[in-house]
PDB file of all heavy atoms in Angstrom:
ATOM      1  N   GLY A  62       4.776  29.032 -13.231  1.00 90.00           N
ATOM      2  CA  GLY A  62       5.488  30.220 -13.627  1.00 90.00           C
ATOM      3  C   GLY A  62       5.631  31.251 -12.563  1.00 90.00           C
ATOM      4  O   GLY A  62       6.714  31.926 -12.432  1.00 90.00           O
ATOM      5  N   SER A  63       4.620  31.442 -11.743  1.00 85.00           N
ATOM      6  CA  SER A  63       4.630  32.481 -10.698  1.00 85.00           C
ATOM      7  C   SER A  63       5.532  32.146  -9.528  1.00 85.00           C
ATOM      8  O   SER A  63       5.837  33.009  -8.745  1.00 85.00           O
ATOM      9  CB  SER A  63       3.171  32.743 -10.216  1.00 85.00           C
ATOM     10  OG  SER A  63       2.668  31.557  -9.646  1.00 85.00           O
ATOM     11  N   LEU A  64       5.924  30.842  -9.470  1.00 92.00           N
ATOM     12  CA  LEU A  64       6.684  30.439  -8.282  1.00 92.00           C
ATOM     13  C   LEU A  64       8.167  30.218  -8.623  1.00 92.00           C
ATOM     14  O   LEU A  64       8.992  30.071  -7.662  1.00 92.00           O
ATOM     15  CB  LEU A  64       6.102  29.114  -7.783  1.00 92.00           C
ATOM     16  CG  LEU A  64       4.634  29.154  -7.334  1.00 92.00           C
ATOM     17  CD1 LEU A  64       4.166  27.785  -6.916  1.00 92.00           C
ATOM     18  CD2 LEU A  64       4.415  30.206  -6.319  1.00 92.00           C
ATOM     19  N   LYS A  65       8.479  30.197  -9.885  1.00 85.00           N
ATOM     20  CA  LYS A  65       9.905  29.990 -10.273  1.00 85.00           C
ATOM     21  C   LYS A  65      10.756  31.004  -9.697  1.00 85.00           C
ATOM     22  O   LYS A  65      10.448  32.275  -9.737  1.00 85.00           O
ATOM     23  CB  LYS A  65       9.992  29.959 -11.763  1.00 85.00           C
ATOM     24  CG  LYS A  65      11.356  29.418 -12.285  1.00 85.00           C
ATOM     25  CD  LYS A  65      11.288  29.321 -13.829  1.00 85.00           C
ATOM     26  CE  LYS A  65      12.603  28.770 -14.328  1.00 85.00           C
ATOM     27  NZ  LYS A  65      12.599  28.614 -15.819  1.00 85.00           N
ATOM     28  N   GLY A  66      11.870  30.597  -9.099  1.00 91.00           N
ATOM     29  CA  GLY A  66      12.800  31.503  -8.469  1.00 91.00           C
ATOM     30  C   GLY A  66      12.655  31.614  -6.918  1.00 91.00           C
ATOM     31  O   GLY A  66      13.584  31.942  -6.273  1.00 91.00           O
ATOM     32  N   ARG A  67      11.477  31.285  -6.455  1.00 97.00           N
ATOM     33  CA  ARG A  67      11.245  31.266  -4.987  1.00 97.00           C
ATOM     34  C   ARG A  67      11.175  29.844  -4.455  1.00 97.00           C
ATOM     35  O   ARG A  67      11.526  29.634  -3.261  1.00 97.00           O
ATOM     36  CB  ARG A  67       9.945  31.991  -4.640  1.00 97.00           C
ATOM     37  CG  ARG A  67       9.940  33.461  -4.900  1.00 97.00           C
ATOM     38  CD  ARG A  67       8.829  34.171  -4.230  1.00 97.00           C
ATOM     39  NE  ARG A  67       7.501  33.695  -4.664  1.00 97.00           N
ATOM     40  CZ  ARG A  67       6.575  33.195  -3.826  1.00 97.00           C
ATOM     41  NH1 ARG A  67       6.803  33.081  -2.551  1.00 97.00           N
ATOM     42  NH2 ARG A  67       5.406  32.841  -4.307  1.00 97.00           N
ATOM     43  N   PHE A  68      10.698  28.895  -5.226  1.00 98.00           N
ATOM     44  CA  PHE A  68      10.524  27.520  -4.760  1.00 98.00           C
ATOM     45  C   PHE A  68      11.540  26.609  -5.457  1.00 98.00           C
ATOM     46  O   PHE A  68      11.851  26.889  -6.580  1.00 98.00           O
ATOM     47  CB  PHE A  68       9.097  27.036  -5.089  1.00 98.00           C
ATOM     48  CG  PHE A  68       8.013  27.642  -4.233  1.00 98.00           C
ATOM     49  CD1 PHE A  68       8.219  28.772  -3.516  1.00 98.00           C
ATOM     50  CD2 PHE A  68       6.798  27.025  -4.150  1.00 98.00           C
ATOM     51  CE1 PHE A  68       7.155  29.351  -2.695  1.00 98.00           C
ATOM     52  CE2 PHE A  68       5.761  27.543  -3.372  1.00 98.00           C
ATOM     53  CZ  PHE A  68       5.984  28.693  -2.676  1.00 98.00           C
ATOM     54  N   THR A  69      11.989  25.687  -4.741  1.00 98.00           N
ATOM     55  CA  THR A  69      12.950  24.648  -5.267  1.00 98.00           C
ATOM     56  C   THR A  69      12.479  23.240  -4.868  1.00 98.00           C
ATOM     57  O   THR A  69      12.365  22.964  -3.688  1.00 98.00           O
ATOM     58  CB  THR A  69      14.402  24.917  -4.775  1.00 98.00           C
ATOM     59  OG1 THR A  69      14.791  26.221  -5.139  1.00 98.00           O
ATOM     60  CG2 THR A  69      15.285  23.888  -5.406  1.00 98.00           C
ATOM     61  N   ILE A  70      12.343  22.362  -5.852  1.00 98.00           N
ATOM     62  CA  ILE A  70      11.963  21.007  -5.591  1.00 98.00           C
ATOM     63  C   ILE A  70      13.199  20.148  -5.740  1.00 98.00           C
ATOM     64  O   ILE A  70      14.049  20.345  -6.563  1.00 98.00           O
ATOM     65  CB  ILE A  70      10.845  20.539  -6.556  1.00 98.00           C
ATOM     66  CG1 ILE A  70      10.279  19.182  -6.114  1.00 98.00           C
ATOM     67  CG2 ILE A  70      11.320  20.541  -7.997  1.00 98.00           C
ATOM     68  CD1 ILE A  70       9.041  18.733  -6.857  1.00 98.00           C
ATOM     69  N   SER A  71      13.293  19.108  -4.837  1.00 98.00           N
ATOM     70  CA  SER A  71      14.384  18.168  -4.922  1.00 98.00           C
ATOM     71  C   SER A  71      13.844  16.829  -4.439  1.00 98.00           C
ATOM     72  O   SER A  71      12.761  16.742  -3.829  1.00 98.00           O
ATOM     73  CB  SER A  71      15.546  18.622  -4.092  1.00 98.00           C
ATOM     74  OG  SER A  71      15.200  18.724  -2.679  1.00 98.00           O
ATOM     75  N   ARG A  72      14.604  15.795  -4.698  1.00 97.00           N
ATOM     76  CA  ARG A  72      14.216  14.465  -4.255  1.00 97.00           C
ATOM     77  C   ARG A  72      15.425  13.629  -3.914  1.00 97.00           C
ATOM     78  O   ARG A  72      16.564  13.858  -4.452  1.00 97.00           O
ATOM     79  CB  ARG A  72      13.312  13.761  -5.230  1.00 97.00           C
ATOM     80  CG  ARG A  72      13.986  13.315  -6.511  1.00 97.00           C
ATOM     81  CD  ARG A  72      12.930  12.750  -7.505  1.00 97.00           C
ATOM     82  NE  ARG A  72      12.405  11.482  -7.074  1.00 97.00           N
ATOM     83  CZ  ARG A  72      11.372  10.891  -7.660  1.00 97.00           C
ATOM     84  NH1 ARG A  72      10.769  11.472  -8.714  1.00 97.00           N
ATOM     85  NH2 ARG A  72      10.949   9.665  -7.241  1.00 97.00           N
ATOM     86  N   ASP A  73      15.283  12.636  -3.074  1.00 96.00           N
ATOM     87  CA  ASP A  73      16.309  11.713  -2.702  1.00 96.00           C
ATOM     88  C   ASP A  73      15.670  10.315  -2.848  1.00 96.00           C
ATOM     89  O   ASP A  73      14.856   9.895  -1.965  1.00 96.00           O
ATOM     90  CB  ASP A  73      16.770  11.964  -1.252  1.00 96.00           C
ATOM     91  CG  ASP A  73      17.861  11.044  -0.791  1.00 96.00           C
ATOM     92  OD1 ASP A  73      18.119  10.013  -1.499  1.00 96.00           O
ATOM     93  OD2 ASP A  73      18.577  11.334   0.158  1.00 96.00           O
ATOM     94  N   ASN A  74      16.017   9.641  -3.894  1.00 95.00           N
ATOM     95  CA  ASN A  74      15.401   8.392  -4.175  1.00 95.00           C
ATOM     96  C   ASN A  74      15.843   7.318  -3.194  1.00 95.00           C
ATOM     97  O   ASN A  74      15.097   6.310  -2.965  1.00 95.00           O
ATOM     98  CB  ASN A  74      15.692   7.866  -5.614  1.00 95.00           C
ATOM     99  CG  ASN A  74      14.849   8.624  -6.635  1.00 95.00           C
ATOM    100  OD1 ASN A  74      13.798   9.216  -6.284  1.00 95.00           O
ATOM    101  ND2 ASN A  74      15.265   8.642  -7.883  1.00 95.00           N
ATOM    102  N   ALA A  75      17.027   7.452  -2.609  1.00 94.00           N
ATOM    103  CA  ALA A  75      17.454   6.451  -1.626  1.00 94.00           C
ATOM    104  C   ALA A  75      16.575   6.523  -0.379  1.00 94.00           C
ATOM    105  O   ALA A  75      16.489   5.532   0.310  1.00 94.00           O
ATOM    106  CB  ALA A  75      18.937   6.767  -1.242  1.00 94.00           C
ATOM    107  N   LYS A  76      16.004   7.683  -0.143  1.00 94.00           N
ATOM    108  CA  LYS A  76      15.094   7.836   1.052  1.00 94.00           C
ATOM    109  C   LYS A  76      13.663   7.964   0.630  1.00 94.00           C
ATOM    110  O   LYS A  76      12.807   8.171   1.536  1.00 94.00           O
ATOM    111  CB  LYS A  76      15.511   9.087   1.823  1.00 94.00           C
ATOM    112  CG  LYS A  76      16.967   9.006   2.383  1.00 94.00           C
ATOM    113  CD  LYS A  76      17.329  10.284   3.140  1.00 94.00           C
ATOM    114  CE  LYS A  76      18.722  10.195   3.660  1.00 94.00           C
ATOM    115  NZ  LYS A  76      19.088  11.437   4.416  1.00 94.00           N
ATOM    116  N   ASN A  77      13.348   7.814  -0.635  1.00 94.00           N
ATOM    117  CA  ASN A  77      12.015   7.975  -1.127  1.00 94.00           C
ATOM    118  C   ASN A  77      11.351   9.230  -0.633  1.00 94.00           C
ATOM    119  O   ASN A  77      10.167   9.297  -0.164  1.00 94.00           O
ATOM    120  CB  ASN A  77      11.136   6.794  -0.630  1.00 94.00           C
ATOM    121  CG  ASN A  77      11.129   5.637  -1.657  1.00 94.00           C
ATOM    122  OD1 ASN A  77      11.764   5.745  -2.717  1.00 94.00           O
ATOM    123  ND2 ASN A  77      10.429   4.550  -1.331  1.00 94.00           N
ATOM    124  N   THR A  78      12.111  10.314  -0.736  1.00 96.00           N
ATOM    125  CA  THR A  78      11.557  11.649  -0.274  1.00 96.00           C
ATOM    126  C   THR A  78      11.616  12.696  -1.382  1.00 96.00           C
ATOM    127  O   THR A  78      12.487  12.620  -2.278  1.00 96.00           O
ATOM    128  CB  THR A  78      12.351  12.163   0.933  1.00 96.00           C
ATOM    129  OG1 THR A  78      13.731  12.372   0.493  1.00 96.00           O
ATOM    130  CG2 THR A  78      12.326  11.248   2.090  1.00 96.00           C
ATOM    131  N   VAL A  79      10.702  13.593  -1.307  1.00 97.00           N
ATOM    132  CA  VAL A  79      10.712  14.753  -2.181  1.00 97.00           C
ATOM    133  C   VAL A  79      10.529  16.006  -1.278  1.00 97.00           C
ATOM    134  O   VAL A  79       9.740  15.937  -0.302  1.00 97.00           O
ATOM    135  CB  VAL A  79       9.638  14.708  -3.257  1.00 97.00           C
ATOM    136  CG1 VAL A  79       8.230  14.629  -2.616  1.00 97.00           C
ATOM    137  CG2 VAL A  79       9.740  15.823  -4.230  1.00 97.00           C
ATOM    138  N   ASN A  80      11.261  16.992  -1.586  1.00 98.00           N
ATOM    139  CA  ASN A  80      11.269  18.202  -0.753  1.00 98.00           C
ATOM    140  C   ASN A  80      10.871  19.408  -1.545  1.00 98.00           C
ATOM    141  O   ASN A  80      10.994  19.454  -2.744  1.00 98.00           O
ATOM    142  CB  ASN A  80      12.626  18.489  -0.123  1.00 98.00           C
ATOM    143  CG  ASN A  80      13.182  17.278   0.650  1.00 98.00           C
ATOM    144  OD1 ASN A  80      12.511  16.840   1.571  1.00 98.00           O
ATOM    145  ND2 ASN A  80      14.287  16.727   0.235  1.00 98.00           N
ATOM    146  N   LEU A  81      10.336  20.412  -0.860  1.00 98.00           N
ATOM    147  CA  LEU A  81       9.979  21.652  -1.513  1.00 98.00           C
ATOM    148  C   LEU A  81      10.530  22.795  -0.569  1.00 98.00           C
ATOM    149  O   LEU A  81      10.019  22.996   0.552  1.00 98.00           O
ATOM    150  CB  LEU A  81       8.521  21.842  -1.663  1.00 98.00           C
ATOM    151  CG  LEU A  81       8.022  23.049  -2.444  1.00 98.00           C
ATOM    152  CD1 LEU A  81       8.464  22.956  -3.929  1.00 98.00           C
ATOM    153  CD2 LEU A  81       6.515  23.255  -2.372  1.00 98.00           C
ATOM    154  N   GLN A  82      11.538  23.478  -1.047  1.00 98.00           N
ATOM    155  CA  GLN A  82      12.068  24.614  -0.338  1.00 98.00           C
ATOM    156  C   GLN A  82      11.390  25.902  -0.812  1.00 98.00           C
ATOM    157  O   GLN A  82      11.367  26.126  -2.054  1.00 98.00           O
ATOM    158  CB  GLN A  82      13.615  24.747  -0.625  1.00 98.00           C
ATOM    159  CG  GLN A  82      14.267  25.952   0.021  1.00 98.00           C
ATOM    160  CD  GLN A  82      14.251  25.903   1.562  1.00 98.00           C
ATOM    161  OE1 GLN A  82      14.497  24.834   2.157  1.00 98.00           O
ATOM    162  NE2 GLN A  82      13.966  27.003   2.232  1.00 98.00           N
ATOM    163  N   MET A  83      10.792  26.575   0.102  1.00 98.00           N
ATOM    164  CA  MET A  83      10.004  27.800  -0.230  1.00 98.00           C
ATOM    165  C   MET A  83      10.648  29.005   0.411  1.00 98.00           C
ATOM    166  O   MET A  83      10.721  29.038   1.613  1.00 98.00           O
ATOM    167  CB  MET A  83       8.555  27.611   0.179  1.00 98.00           C
ATOM    168  CG  MET A  83       7.911  26.314  -0.360  1.00 98.00           C
ATOM    169  SD  MET A  83       6.178  26.192   0.059  1.00 98.00           S
ATOM    170  CE  MET A  83       6.303  25.961   1.875  1.00 98.00           C
ATOM    171  N   ASN A  84      11.023  29.970  -0.375  1.00 98.00           N
ATOM    172  CA  ASN A  84      11.684  31.177   0.122  1.00 98.00           C
ATOM    173  C   ASN A  84      10.751  32.401  -0.144  1.00 98.00           C
ATOM    174  O   ASN A  84       9.939  32.335  -1.047  1.00 98.00           O
ATOM    175  CB  ASN A  84      13.021  31.349  -0.574  1.00 98.00           C
ATOM    176  CG  ASN A  84      14.002  30.206  -0.159  1.00 98.00           C
ATOM    177  OD1 ASN A  84      13.940  29.643   0.875  1.00 98.00           O
ATOM    178  ND2 ASN A  84      14.899  29.925  -1.120  1.00 98.00           N
ATOM    179  N   SER A  85      11.062  33.472   0.538  1.00 97.00           N
ATOM    180  CA  SER A  85      10.360  34.690   0.338  1.00 97.00           C
ATOM    181  C   SER A  85       8.816  34.461   0.308  1.00 97.00           C
ATOM    182  O   SER A  85       8.199  34.951  -0.598  1.00 97.00           O
ATOM    183  CB  SER A  85      10.821  35.417  -0.974  1.00 97.00           C
ATOM    184  OG  SER A  85      12.214  35.636  -0.897  1.00 97.00           O
ATOM    185  N   LEU A  86       8.360  33.774   1.273  1.00 98.00           N
ATOM    186  CA  LEU A  86       6.915  33.432   1.286  1.00 98.00           C
ATOM    187  C   LEU A  86       6.029  34.666   1.349  1.00 98.00           C
ATOM    188  O   LEU A  86       6.349  35.638   2.031  1.00 98.00           O
ATOM    189  CB  LEU A  86       6.658  32.468   2.433  1.00 98.00           C
ATOM    190  CG  LEU A  86       7.105  30.996   2.168  1.00 98.00           C
ATOM    191  CD1 LEU A  86       7.140  30.230   3.474  1.00 98.00           C
ATOM    192  CD2 LEU A  86       6.186  30.358   1.142  1.00 98.00           C
ATOM    193  N   LYS A  87       4.924  34.533   0.677  1.00 97.00           N
ATOM    194  CA  LYS A  87       3.887  35.609   0.638  1.00 97.00           C
ATOM    195  C   LYS A  87       2.550  35.108   1.197  1.00 97.00           C
ATOM    196  O   LYS A  87       2.323  33.881   1.182  1.00 97.00           O
ATOM    197  CB  LYS A  87       3.679  36.023  -0.803  1.00 97.00           C
ATOM    198  CG  LYS A  87       4.953  36.407  -1.510  1.00 97.00           C
ATOM    199  CD  LYS A  87       4.700  36.780  -3.007  1.00 97.00           C
ATOM    200  CE  LYS A  87       5.983  37.154  -3.757  1.00 97.00           C
ATOM    201  NZ  LYS A  87       5.701  37.434  -5.158  1.00 97.00           N
TER     202      LYS A  87
END
Side-chain angles (χ1 to χ4, degrees):
S63 61
L64 303 177
K65 192 174 183 179
R67 293 195 299 123
F68 288 17
T69 302
I70 189 171
S71 62
R72 69 187 290 170
D73 183 342
N74 283 340
K76 298 180 180 179
N77 269 359
T78 61
V79 61
N80 304 302
L81 185 69
Q82 177 68 40
M83 305 184 292
N84 298 328
S85 303
L86 283 163
K87 305 175 181 180

